[in-house]
Amino acid sequence: MGLLALGTPLEWPEAKKAAHQVRQWGIKQLLEIWNKAKGKERDAMLWGDEIEYLVVTFSKDEPKVRLSLRQAEILDALSKCPDLANGESVSDAKDKKVDRRDERDQHEPAAKRRRVHGDDLSSIPAAPPDKPGTLKPDHPKPVFHPEFGRFMLEATPGKPWGIDFKELLDVEPDMRLRRKIAKKHMRPDEFPITLTTFPRIGCPGDFTDPYYPPSGPRLRSQFVPDEIANPHIRFPTLAANIRWRRGRKVQVNVPVFHDKNTPTPWKDPTVNYDLHNWPEDDDVRTGGAAPDDFIHMDAMAFGMGSCCLQITFQAKNIIEGRRMYDQLSPLGPIMLALTAATPIYKGFLANTDVRWNQISRAVDCRTPEELGEKPLKNDRWRIPKSRYASNSTYISTDSRLRPEYLDPNLVVDEDIKAQLIQGGMDDRLATHFAHLFIRDPIVVFQEDLEELDLNKTDHFENLQSTNWQHMRFKPPPADNSIGWRVEFRPMEIQVTDFENAAFSVFMVLVTRVILSFDLNFYIPITKVDENMERAHAVDAVLNQRFYFRKNPFPGRHSHVNNGHANNAPSSSSSSSRPGSRPPSRPPTPVGPVEDEYTEMTVDDIINGCDNDTHTFPGLIPLVESYLDSVNVDVQTRCALDAYLRLISMRASGRLVTAARWIRGFVDAHPAYRHDSVVGEEVQKDLIAAVVAVGERELELEGEGEGKGKGFANMGVPGLGRLLGSFRGGCGDDET
Ligand code: ADP
Ligand code: MG
Ligand code: MG
Ligand code: MG
Ligand code: MG
Ligand code: MG
């Protein structure tokens, strides 16, 4: 079976013709699952994280570090463990693990999912059972997944995390275990690292191992070879059809950071204006694809090759899921700024700190008509955003959702919306999906067009999973075996598992606070978009202000009647415990929406503020008062406090973001000439530092306090400013 089972992907002109059918079938599948699952109740409060890695080659004596393209071999090695899940044969697992993952994977019941399990129970350190954060021997083994880049891996916990506070302390050791298992299945000179991007991806020369020359028929990039993408036919087809639909290559342009020796204007010296391999080579000559003062990139791999940290929450029912989706949405840009980790592209310092817009541009399939560059003739509408972008809808039935918060210019497919409403869906949720369904499916397999199967969600997922917004509302799978889920997608991956655990656990606690205290973070959704842009600025965490709601407390909300929630039950105040809610302010009369929010710093939002212009309680103080109100044992509380302090100190600037740490590292490097160029030598030393930190983390695993082996004394420049001397327990604040 093997390749046959993968199906025949349609080239763009044929896929385009099938788009209507795929959307129609997708909507039917959505209605099917919606009708089955809308009344689901009491699903458990589960959640799970996703960690993405770059696989790099590094050895002390080799002057260069490279991206290792051995994803398939590494996943294969991981799958060849004796206790592969479900008794699948290795070859089955191998075929499945690359087979159209995005359409199906997330919505299949756990028992049927293709997974690649680590084999490494023996490596779980035995430790006293009462030591928090020590994995039990029966801890479920992590799962490894392929990713777009052939140099990437993704790993998730073996099963979602539960509601127990103690379990929050398993997250960090589990992340370390994933790193350890991944490493064990690599060559000695390969390492899984959690940097968002490889600094010199796309630079002239051999930045991959093995080397392939750039320019293949799929990407048509002048910087990266087609072989940089996962070879499963889905991925090159995705990249090729996005380019084909657009009518030119993607343009991933990032403003260069002007250092004291950087020429003005700056012209990207790596752009070749003289190539004649593909018609798209004209893009830089006549299409203005490579403007002055921008680092120019031209392929999906520059965006989708970035690593992030994602968290998925299961809600107890659809109402709670819709509420979580809305309330977490305004936090997206704040958490993006706070996790900033992406200051380098293609060997140059960028004048932005995060990956988001680059991914957005790397998969922007909009045509010139949709972009507003040409009058509408063949396309149906102008579309203001890429299919990878901040989300454009609020979906909750919460009566506090004022119509003014919604985007007045939202593009929806009215026909699809009418079908959804006809099928029984309420106006607001129908609007959300009818907005996602303005897009074309990009990868369509011939075989899937033969018969509509309402016991699947493949056509629905085709559209849903290629709408990469910063929140994703995930309906249950076709068999309705799990609940409604909400995914929080904006965060950048952090260098250490300590940080990745801290941000994951923080988001879990924030979500609990939101539900418990019935918090209200609504601001107009277009302000969330604006915040997303602001989050890109260098050191946005310190220098930018973000629109944020002044009063997050519930107050009285029956006074707002938005007239949209007719079809849906009213909001529930769910899991609040008696006495756990802070005193709400007296109800304020409905005023102009503009009076409800103001501009705050990340520090104001995270740590709280009380100044001349505004007061805000702060997410961390809210989490703390929540933790005070529930039963958490001292050890657990102490470990959670370390996470909260890390985040608090990042927000206040007492510790720096990964982006700032990397900038400092480059700036202080003797080989850096203050001309924005991040050369081989600097890159090697940066990767060496990151590898060393990763190895140190593994040493720390299972170790007691006070052995002097923290991150602080490693001799890596600036590490104390990034991590303080946190070691996952109650340590000192800073070095
Ligand atoms: P995707 O890549 O589509 O976002 P993944 O399958 O990679 O989805 O996993 C997303 C995360 O969701 C994982 O951490 C997984 O453990 C978690 N997860 C799986 N099932 C549930 C569930 N029922 N509730 C909450 N989280 C879940
Ligand atoms: Mg995933
Ligand atoms: Mg996925
Ligand atoms: Mg992923
Ligand atoms: Mg995900
Ligand atoms: Mg200097």
Side-chain angles (χ1 to χ4, degrees):
M1 36 177 295
L3 282 173
L4 281 179
L6 303 176
T8 317
L10 301 181
E11 295 204 319
W12 178 245
E14 296 309 308
K16 172 87 191 162
K17 285 181 206 149
H20 182 70
Q21 180 185 344
V22 172
R23 275 192 294 266
Q24 288 303 312
W25 286 9
I27 285 303
K28 292 199 167 76
Q29 289 176 334
L30 170 61
L31 276 173
E32 183 77 9
I33 187 62
W34 185 75
N35 275 310
K36 238 191 269 179
K38 66 185 173 193
K40 254 172 105 74
E41 282 294 342
R42 287 190 289 278
D43 276 311
M45 171 66 123
L46 301 174
W47 70 279
D49 62 276
E50 296 166 72
I51 302 270
E52 292 173 342
Y53 308 85
L54 302 175
V55 183
V56 296
T57 67
F58 162 80
S59 66
K60 285 209 174 60
D61 326 312
E62 169 64 33
K64 286 182 89 162
V65 287
R66 296 179 182 83
L67 285 168
S68 168
L69 301 186
R70 294 199 324 114
Q71 179 193 78
E73 291 87 340
I74 293 164
L75 285 170
D76 199 39
L78 283 161
S79 75
K80 280 190 175 121
C81 59
D83 49 357
L84 190 64
N86 317 321
E88 290 174 331
S89 78
V90 168
S91 61
D92 269 359
K94 192 176 154 197
D95 285 342
K96 284 174 138 194
K97 82 185 178 231
V98 292
D99 182 8
R100 289 152 56 201
R101 174 181 57 101
D102 276 359
E103 292 98 331
R104 294 181 182 165
D105 190 26
Q106 70 195 27
H107 295 290
E108 282 181 11
K112 276 205 225 150
R113 278 163 61 158
R114 49 194 96 76
R115 11 181 80 191
V116 183
H117 277 271
D119 60 345
D120 214 299
L121 283 183
S122 61
S123 71
I124 299 174
D130 60 340
K131 188 172 184 300
T134 304
L135 300 177
K136 294 190 190 70
D138 62 350
H139 184 78
K141 288 164 279 180
V143 184
F144 291 89
H145 314 254
E147 254 299 332
F148 176 85
R150 200 166 166 181
F151 49 83
M152 294 169 84
L153 284 181
E154 181 183 297
T156 55
K159 72 176 190 16
W161 306 108
I163 191 161
D164 186 8
F165 284 103
K166 271 198 165 69
E167 226 177 301
L168 294 176
L169 306 193
D170 287 348
V171 175
E172 185 182 342
D174 185 76
M175 287 176 176
R176 285 180 187 168
L177 179 62
R178 289 178 231 172
R179 197 182 286 268
K180 190 167 183 170
I181 293 174
K183 172 65 190 131
K184 211 175 136 182
H185 292 84
M186 293 176 186
R187 295 188 316 224
D189 69 333
E190 285 172 328
F191 294 87
I193 63 167
T194 41
L195 282 183
T196 52
T197 52
F198 187 68
R200 288 178 57 82
I201 185 175
C203 285
D206 55 338
F207 61 91
T208 62
D209 179 13
Y211 171 75
Y212 295 95
S215 239
R218 304 288 184 162
L219 300 182
R220 304 193 180 180
S221 169
Q222 57 161 285
F223 307 110
V224 296
D226 278 6
E227 287 82 357
I228 198 146
N230 183 325
H232 179 273
I233 191 63
R234 170 182 161 69
F235 297 95
T237 306
L238 189 58
N241 284 358
I242 284 173
R243 175 181 50 68
W244 205 332
R245 188 181 193 284
R246 256 178 84 80
R248 53 192 159 174
K249 284 190 287 187
V250 292
Q251 291 173 8
V252 187
N253 291 331
V254 191
V256 75
F257 168 75
H258 277 271
D259 207 340
K260 63 183 186 209
N261 299 329
T262 312
T264 308
W266 181 84
K267 290 182 190 303
D268 185 337
T270 61
V271 175
N272 184 344
Y273 291 88
D274 215 28
L275 281 175
H276 295 274
N277 298 333
W278 310 104
E280 287 80 358
D281 289 330
D282 284 341
D283 291 355
V284 290
R285 273 189 292 276
T286 56
D292 284 356
D293 294 316
F294 285 85
I295 306 161
H296 172 59
M297 296 168 281
D298 64 352
M300 186 165 164
F302 285 107
M304 280 293 179
S306 322
C307 299
C308 66
L309 172 64
Q310 296 174 336
I311 316 287
T312 296
F313 302 97
Q314 178 165 282
K316 70 177 181 192
N317 57 27
I318 188 172
I319 296 166
E320 188 182 83
R322 293 169 69 165
R323 191 145 63 102
M324 278 160 72
Y325 180 94
D326 281 13
Q327 294 304 331
L328 289 173
S329 184
L331 301 182
I334 312 306
M335 297 312 293
L336 178 62
L338 193 54
T339 54
T342 318
I344 305 173
Y345 275 99
K346 214 183 64 171
F348 303 108
L349 286 170
N351 206 28
T352 54
D353 259 7
V354 299
R355 77 200 189 287
W356 190 264
N357 279 346
Q358 282 72 256
I359 310 183
S360 175
R361 295 190 183 109
V363 292
D364 190 351
C365 66
R366 289 174 297 169
T367 65
E369 291 181 25
E370 288 167 343
L371 285 162
E373 295 172 1
K374 284 186 184 168
L376 279 178
K377 205 171 113 212
N378 301 311
D379 292 317
R380 295 183 292 170
W381 32 57
R382 298 229 161 126
I383 305 181
K385 292 184 197 171
S386 164
R387 59 198 298 152
Y388 188 112
S390 50
N391 52 304
S392 296
T393 54
Y394 285 128
I395 61 174
S396 178
T397 54
D398 190 333
S399 61
R400 298 174 300 185
L401 203 186
R402 297 174 63 171
E404 296 96 316
Y405 303 148
L406 301 170
D407 180 357
N409 301 316
L410 187 76
V411 185
V412 295
D413 185 326
E414 291 296 346
D415 194 46
I416 280 178
K417 181 172 162 181
Q419 288 179 53
L420 289 170
I421 289 174
Q422 179 77 35
M425 193 179 283
D426 58 280
D427 189 280
R428 190 165 285 156
L429 198 57
T431 301
H432 169 74
F433 287 115
H435 166 65
L436 299 187
F437 273 64
I438 63 173
R439 310 285 172 173
D440 281 340
I442 298 290
V443 181
V444 178
F445 287 91
Q446 175 76 59
E447 293 77 1
D448 294 342
L449 298 174
E450 282 153 23
E451 201 184 339
L452 170 61
D453 186 347
L454 288 177
N455 294 313
K456 283 182 171 175
T457 53
D458 55 340
H459 297 292
F460 166 68
E461 282 301 326
N462 193 339
L463 274 304
Q464 157 98 340
S465 71
T466 54
N467 266 279
W468 297 280
Q469 303 193 336
H470 82 271
M471 303 293 307
R472 184 176 285 164
F473 186 56
K474 297 174 166 178
D479 69 359
N480 206 9
S481 57
I482 58 174
W484 294 89
R485 287 149 303 144
V486 171
E487 186 180 20
F488 187 73
R489 303 162 49 82
M491 292 192 286
E492 307 235 307
I493 200 76
Q494 305 293 295
V495 175
T496 64
D497 294 323
F498 168 65
E499 298 159 276
N500 288 315
F503 280 103
S504 303
V505 166
F506 176 64
M507 287 313 302
V508 172
L509 293 173
V510 166
T511 304
R512 304 240 173 115
V513 174
I514 288 170
L515 296 178
S516 223
F517 293 171
D518 198 14
L519 297 182
N520 177 2
F521 291 135
Y522 276 126
I523 56 172
I525 193 101
T526 51
K527 295 293 174 202
V528 179
D529 293 338
E530 213 170 315
N531 284 346
M532 213 65 167
E533 290 306 313
R534 294 180 180 193
H536 283 70
V538 173
D539 291 329
V541 67
L542 301 180
N543 302 331
Q544 292 290 310
R545 288 177 183 275
F546 296 87
Y547 295 105
F548 213 76
R549 191 178 179 90
K550 291 188 237 174
N551 178 5
F553 295 115
R556 192 181 66 191
H557 46 90
S558 55
H559 61 293
V560 179
N561 183 358
N562 51 41
H564 280 280
N566 303 339
N567 294 334
S570 63
S571 100
S572 68
S573 50
S574 78
S575 48
S576 69
R577 290 153 207 253
S580 69
R581 185 180 299 194
S584 54
R585 297 174 190 186
T588 37
V590 191
V593 163
E594 293 69 38
D595 291 352
E596 293 177 349
Y597 58 85
T598 187
E599 292 176 281
M600 300 186 203
T601 63
V602 173
D603 190 26
D604 293 342
I605 296 165
I606 297 290
N607 291 316
C609 62
D610 188 358
N611 58 37
D612 293 347
T613 56
H614 56 277
T615 60
F616 185 76
L619 297 180
I620 290 203
L622 283 167
V623 165
E624 280 167 344
S625 75
Y626 168 72
L627 288 173
D628 289 343
S629 74
V630 293
N631 262 336
V632 187
D633 66 82
V634 175
Q635 265 184 323
T636 305
R637 179 67 190 260
C638 175
L640 295 180
D641 277 347
Y643 294 151
L644 296 180
R645 282 210 322 274
L646 175 84
I647 286 161
S648 167
M649 290 166 75
R650 287 273 171 87
S652 70
R654 284 175 72 195
L655 293 178
V656 298
T657 61
R660 177 43 64 192
W661 173 66
I662 294 170
R663 286 180 194 281
F665 190 100
V666 171
D667 190 67
H669 197 285
Y672 177 62
R673 298 199 195 121
H674 300 278
D675 56 358
S676 316
V677 177
V678 181
E680 290 289 356
E681 213 182 317
V682 180
Q683 166 169 270
K684 179 178 171 182
D685 290 340
L686 177 64
I687 301 288
V690 170
V691 165
V693 171
E695 300 278 285
R696 173 62 57 92
E697 273 212 299
L698 296 183
E699 285 171 32
L700 288 175
E701 187 183 57
E703 213 186 68
E705 300 287 326
K707 290 195 186 161
K709 263 200 166 183
F711 299 119
N713 315 314
M714 291 187 60
V716 172
L719 206 56
R721 292 278 291 133
L722 178 71
L723 297 172
S725 59
F726 287 115
R727 301 187 43 210
C730 286
D732 297 331
D733 275 3
E734 277 169 288
T735 48

